[in-house]
Amino acid sequence: MRHFLHETDFAPKEIGDVFALARTYKRQRGRPCSVLAGKTWALIFSKSSTRTRVSFEVGIRELGGNTLFLNRNDIQLGRGETIEDTAKVLSRYVHGLVVRTYDHADVERLAAAGTVPVINALTDFLHPCQIYADAFTLAERWAGKRSNNLIGALKGRKIAFLGDTACNVANSWVIGANLLGMKISLAGPKGFAPSKTLDRMLEVQGLKEGYQFTTDPYEAVRGADVVYTDVWVSMGKEEETRKRVGQLSSYAVTAKLFAAAKPDAFFMHCLPAHPGEEVTQEVLDNPRSIIFDQAENRLHVQKAIITKLVAPKKRSS
Ligand code: CP
């Protein structure tokens, strides 16, 4: 049984296959598809969502399947039924699970106890679907329409991530950049540096390039092909809003900071954005801001991820 809980669940060659398939799905949108014919996938969400929920629900239906949206608090999981029992019961009804939750260990436990594929739709530690869609967005820009070498187009490029560099999207981008041969520089206050958990994961996975961390946002964006930021107050940290906004204010992506990256650099944000906090409206509206391409590509890439997870195993000859 294959799951997609971490960026590393697909080898770089397989990520290339996912991107190629995502491009086909994007070009052929509207063509009937039967990859999930007769199958139902459940979405279990403990946190709010616009992009992830809608792109998965639409994507699963476009693959020929049905969806069932389960708010954690509407099922017995929210009243204390164990993750293991929930996984075993749901595995008797549905053919796959898409899970958005707080503790990353919860998706690991669901996957271990159930008998259907599980996709991580965001935990406090990682957001792998986002990073695959982001990397695909860059690859299709840099590779051009004719080239099939989508992964090759990413190699050696530099991404600068600013603000809360210990958040799930930053963690996922560090892993993604290492897997895809990109360089990543993170800039934020000292207390927001990447965690030891991330460092251990890089070590265990043999991802030796790692990342650069600096407290100077201008140092991070120098020579960058991409400037990326995320909200400063992640879901679950709302009571820290005032403190975090004060601590992170020097890392806002302004037109001046964006101009210090390469002249053709792209601006990216996983959305939702808080204009006037982590980024100015001027940068969000810049012609090199590709935030809505990122959002759209969640749909195509997630359809490709699901297709790869449910593909029959090749027989060894
Ligand atoms: N980027 C992202 O995951 O958006 P949602 O929280 O709206 O799903």
Side-chain angles (χ1 to χ4, degrees):
M1 179 60 50
R2 287 199 83 170
H3 304 290
F4 183 64
L5 308 183
H6 325 92
E7 294 71 14
T8 49
D9 289 339
F10 289 121
K13 154 86 182 67
E14 292 180 299
I15 303 175
D17 299 341
V18 168
F19 285 8
L21 186 56
R23 186 153 75 169
T24 302
Y25 280 141
K26 188 168 182 172
R27 286 177 176 169
Q28 298 182 352
R29 190 150 184 230
R31 279 201 201 172
C33 179
S34 57
V35 165
L36 293 182
K39 312 284 187 202
T40 298
W41 277 54
L43 281 69
I44 310 176
F45 278 44
S46 306
K47 296 181 174 187
S48 306
S49 170
T50 298
R51 282 142 289 270
T52 308
R53 175 179 175 177
V54 176
S55 56
F56 268 110
E57 290 214 40
V58 171
I60 290 165
R61 287 176 203 169
E62 288 187 0
L63 291 173
N66 297 305
T67 60
L68 195 60
F69 184 79
L70 303 171
N71 184 313
R72 180 195 169 97
N73 292 328
D74 293 340
I75 58 175
Q76 299 291 8
L77 186 63
R79 294 181 61 243
E81 184 165 18
T82 66
I83 287 171
E84 284 71 19
D85 284 1
T86 303
K88 286 173 192 163
V89 170
L90 290 180
S91 295
R92 303 279 181 117
Y93 301 135
V94 301
H95 305 92
L97 296 171
V98 176
V99 184
R100 169 168 283 206
T101 191
Y102 292 89
D103 189 348
H104 185 78
D106 288 356
V107 289
E108 308 259 12
R109 286 170 59 194
L110 264 172
T115 55
V116 295
V118 176
I119 295 181
N120 175 359
L122 178 145
T123 65
D124 286 347
F125 184 48
L126 296 176
H127 197 359
C129 293
Q130 180 70 54
I131 272 47
Y132 271 38
D134 292 345
F136 172 74
T137 304
L138 292 168
E140 64 175 355
R141 291 264 176 172
W142 288 329
K145 286 196 170 62
R146 289 205 195 94
S147 169
N148 288 328
N149 192 4
L150 288 166
I151 296 289
L154 299 169
K155 297 240 180 291
R157 298 282 190 162
K158 175 181 171 182
I159 179 160
F161 193 105
L162 304 175
D164 178 2
T165 64
C167 73
N168 45 16
V169 174
N171 288 339
S172 281
W173 250 117
V174 168
I175 298 167
N178 274 264
L179 273 176
L180 296 165
M182 297 174 73
K183 299 184 184 85
I184 183 159
S185 272
L186 307 157
K190 275 208 178 94
F192 290 77
S195 65
K196 294 270 176 290
T197 311
L198 179 68
D199 290 345
R200 269 196 303 279
M201 187 163 175
L202 294 175
E203 201 181 314
V204 168
Q205 295 290 339
L207 299 172
K208 296 198 176 79
E209 275 302 310
Y211 55 85
Q212 301 280 317
F213 176 79
T214 172
T215 53
D216 178 354
Y218 284 89
E219 186 188 328
V221 302
R222 197 178 308 127
D225 298 286
V226 181
V227 176
Y228 201 118
T229 191
D230 189 5
V231 289
W232 289 339
V233 185
S234 297
M235 287 180 277
K237 296 198 186 297
E238 288 78 4
E239 74 284 359
E240 298 173 25
T241 300
R242 189 187 290 216
K243 187 172 155 212
R244 293 172 73 88
V245 169
Q247 288 168 310
L248 290 161
S249 59
S250 331
Y251 298 90
V253 182
T254 59
K256 184 175 168 219
L257 183 58
F258 187 40
K262 280 190 179 167
D264 56 354
F266 291 117
F267 172 73
M268 299 182 95
H269 191 309
C270 54
L271 302 180
H274 286 183
E277 282 189 16
E278 76 277 3
V279 57
T280 62
Q281 189 64 51
E282 189 183 0
V283 172
L284 287 165
D285 293 338
N286 187 293
R288 286 182 281 113
S289 162
I290 52 174
I291 54 178
F292 298 112
D293 290 346
Q294 293 174 254
E296 178 190 334
N297 285 333
R298 296 288 303 277
L299 171 68
H300 312 301
V301 169
Q302 287 159 192
K303 284 170 69 178
I305 290 169
I306 292 173
T307 304
K308 195 93 177 126
L309 290 182
V310 301
K313 263 193 198 150
K314 282 191 189 135
R315 282 205 202 132
S316 50
S317 49

